Amino acid sequence: MQITITREDLLKPLGYVTGVVERRQTLPVLSYVLLRQQGGEMALTGTDLEIEIIAKVSKAGAGNVEMTLPARKLFDICRALPADAEITIKKEGEKAIVKSGKSRFALTTVAVADFPSVQASQWEQALTLSQKALRKLLEQTHFCMAQQDVRYYLNGLLLEVSNKKIRAVATDGHRMAVTEMGLDKDVKGDKQVIVPRKGVQEMLRLLGDTDDPVELEFGTNHLRARTGEFIFTSKLIDGRYPDYNKVIPAKQSKKIMLNRDLFRETLGRVAILSSEKYRGVRLSLSSKALRFTAHNPEQEEAQEEISTDYSGEGMEIGFNVNYMIEAISALHTDQVEFGLNDPNSSCTLASPDTAYPQYVIMPMRL
C-alpha cells in the first residue's frame, strides 16, 4: 500500500510537524515523523516527548497506511520538488521509497510501534477563542520569559483563566509583561498553567492571524490547542508562579506621555554606544524634557533629548535599553504612557487608551 499526495497538500502540514523535531536527538526515533492514513483521513505526527504536533492533511487517499520517515529530510525533499509535483511514498522492506516524476529517494524508517506519543491526562477545562486573539496574547508577553533560569517556573509563560477573561504573564525577574482579554463565555472555575518556552514559541509559529477558532484544553500536566489544521499538545511546567500582582506598582507619581515611534527610535540611537554587556541607558527627567545618555567601556558617549509635557520635579534613573525597546515595540499605539516613582522603583510602560498590555521594568544602577 502506498501514499499518493501532491507536494502542496503535504508541504504545509509537514512544516508544522518538522518545527518541533529537534535536529540533534538523544533518541533517533524523535527525528522521525509518523504518517498515518486511515479511513480517508491522513495525519502527520512529530514529537520531542515534551511537545507533540499532529497536523491534518486536507486531501487523503484511500487505504490504511502507517510509516515513519526522517522529518527534516522529507521536508527538504518536498521543498526542492516542483510546485505541482505529485509524490508517492511506499514502504519497501526497511526503506521508504519517495518518488516524484523521475526523482527517487530511499529513506530509512523505524518501526511504527517505537514511535512515542504524549500521554495527556484528562482535560479539566476548555475554552474557545480566535487564533488571532491567542497569538496576540503570546506576542505581547513571550519576550519577557526567562532563559535557563534556575527558577524553572520563570522559563515559561503563565496562562490564567478566570470568569470571562484569559490573562498571560511572563517575567525573567528583571521585567514583566501582563496582558488579558475577555472571553465570549464564562469559564467555570479558575485555572493557572505555565507553558514552557518551546511550547510558547511553537504555538506562535502555528497560530495564524485569522478569526478561525482555536480550542484550548487545560489538564493537570498538559495544555492542548486544537484547530481544523493541527492538534498541539505541550507538557506544562510543574511549579507555582510568583504573585505577579505584587510587582505591579499601585500608582506612579510621575506619568509622561511620549510619542511611541520617537521614544523607540531615540532609545535605539543612544543604545549604539551603550555597554554591550550591560546595555544600560540613563534617563534624566526634568521639566519639559527627557534626556537619554549612554556610555561604554571605551569612554564613548551618546546623548539625546526629547521634549515632554512633564512639569514636576526632576530625577535620574537607569534601565536596560533592550528591555525598554522590546516593551515599546509591543505597544501598537501612537502614544506611550511612561510611569515612574523614584530612582529605585520600577517603571511602567502602557498604552494610555487601554489597561493591557502593561510592562514593568526594574531599574539598574549605572
Side-chain angles (χ1 to χ4, degrees):
M1 193 69 74
Q2 70 178 25
I3 292 171
T4 302
I5 191 169
T6 65
R7 173 187 180 270
E8 292 307 299
D9 288 338
L10 181 60
L11 193 60
K12 186 176 180 180
L14 188 55
Y16 284 157
V17 170
T18 306
V20 77
V21 175
E22 298 283 358
R23 291 185 182 274
R24 296 178 182 175
Q25 288 283 8
T26 51
L27 293 173
V29 70
L30 297 181
S31 64
Y32 284 73
V33 59
L34 173 65
L35 280 72
R36 179 179 283 125
Q37 182 175 280
Q38 194 171 22
E41 296 182 348
M42 182 174 166
L44 312 178
T45 304
T47 182
D48 65 357
L49 298 182
E50 300 292 320
I51 295 168
E52 179 186 79
I53 297 174
I54 302 172
K56 301 171 186 177
V57 178
S58 56
K59 296 176 184 177
N64 297 341
V65 186
E66 276 190 324
M67 68 177 81
T68 61
L69 294 100
R72 295 279 176 185
K73 291 172 185 173
L74 181 61
F75 184 59
D76 289 342
I77 289 168
C78 288
R79 282 198 305 178
L81 289 171
D84 58 349
E86 185 175 89
I87 301 168
T88 62
I89 307 171
K90 188 176 183 180
K91 185 84 181 295
E92 291 185 6
E94 298 298 313
K95 302 284 186 182
I97 307 302
V98 180
K99 288 183 181 179
S100 180
K102 294 185 179 180
S103 301
R104 181 182 183 275
F105 307 89
L107 301 175
T108 58
T109 66
V110 295
V112 171
D114 293 338
F115 195 85
S117 63
V118 173
Q119 299 298 320
S121 55
Q122 285 188 322
W123 304 110
E124 301 169 356
Q125 202 173 65
L127 59 94
T128 302
L129 63 166
S130 71
Q131 291 191 39
K132 180 162 59 178
L134 180 56
R135 183 181 177 86
K136 187 177 180 181
L137 277 175
L138 301 180
E139 283 179 336
Q140 290 176 339
T141 50
H142 76 100
F143 55 87
C144 289
M145 291 186 293
Q147 296 190 48
Q148 298 179 327
D149 197 295
V150 293
R151 297 164 293 179
Y152 59 92
Y153 46 83
L154 298 185
N155 301 321
L157 184 141
L158 175 72
L159 285 178
E160 184 179 64
V161 181
S162 62
N163 300 324
K164 290 186 71 173
K165 62 185 180 183
I166 179 170
R167 178 175 284 195
V169 183
T171 181
D172 59 7
H174 303 287
R175 55 175 169 169
M176 185 175 75
V178 182
T179 192
E180 74 173 35
M181 62 165 288
L183 299 169
D184 293 336
K185 294 181 180 178
D186 196 4
V187 180
K188 293 181 181 179
D190 297 346
K191 185 72 176 176
Q192 275 195 349
V193 298
I194 307 172
V195 187
R197 165 177 285 276
K198 186 175 180 182
V200 173
Q201 291 170 335
E202 285 300 314
M203 277 202 288
L204 277 169
R205 188 177 64 84
L206 294 168
L207 293 166
D209 190 22
T210 71
D211 292 321
D212 294 340
V214 54
E215 183 183 8
L216 279 182
E217 296 174 297
F218 301 94
T220 305
N221 302 309
H222 293 86
L223 167 80
R224 176 165 286 172
R226 190 191 297 267
T227 74
E229 294 183 305
F230 64 81
I231 300 171
F232 165 89
T233 308
S234 172
K235 283 188 177 179
L236 298 172
I237 294 176
D238 184 18
R240 186 163 183 82
Y241 209 76
D243 186 357
Y244 60 88
N245 288 303
K246 292 181 178 178
V247 180
I248 302 171
K251 61 178 181 178
Q252 303 285 63
S253 59
K254 302 171 180 63
K255 289 192 176 181
I256 310 141
M257 290 296 177
L258 298 166
N259 178 277
R260 171 183 175 267
D261 291 339
L262 177 62
F263 194 11
R264 183 177 58 179
E265 289 163 7
T266 303
L267 284 167
R269 288 191 294 268
V270 174
I272 295 168
L273 294 186
S274 66
S275 164
E276 290 185 12
K277 184 177 181 181
Y278 299 108
R279 303 298 289 162
V281 167
R282 184 184 302 278
L283 278 64
S284 302
L285 179 63
S286 59
S287 181
K288 305 296 182 184
L290 180 62
R291 184 181 296 113
F292 304 80
T293 312
H295 301 270
N296 61 30
E298 288 77 40
Q299 305 301 312
E300 296 168 327
E301 182 183 80
Q303 191 175 101
E304 284 219 28
E305 186 176 293
I306 57 178
S307 301
T308 71
D309 57 357
Y310 179 73
S311 58
E313 62 182 55
M315 66 172 280
E316 288 193 350
I317 191 168
F319 292 106
N320 181 305
V321 70
N322 290 353
Y323 296 170
M324 297 282 288
I325 291 173
E326 286 183 330
I328 295 165
S329 299
L331 292 166
H332 299 292
T333 53
D334 293 335
Q335 298 287 312
V336 171
E337 185 178 86
F338 184 34
L340 295 162
N341 272 325
D342 58 68
N344 300 312
S345 301
S346 302
C347 78
T348 56
L349 291 161
S351 164
D353 306 320
T354 57
Y356 298 101
Q358 185 175 29
Y359 301 95
V360 181
I361 303 175
M362 294 283 289
M364 64 186 296
R365 294 187 182 277
L366 295 175

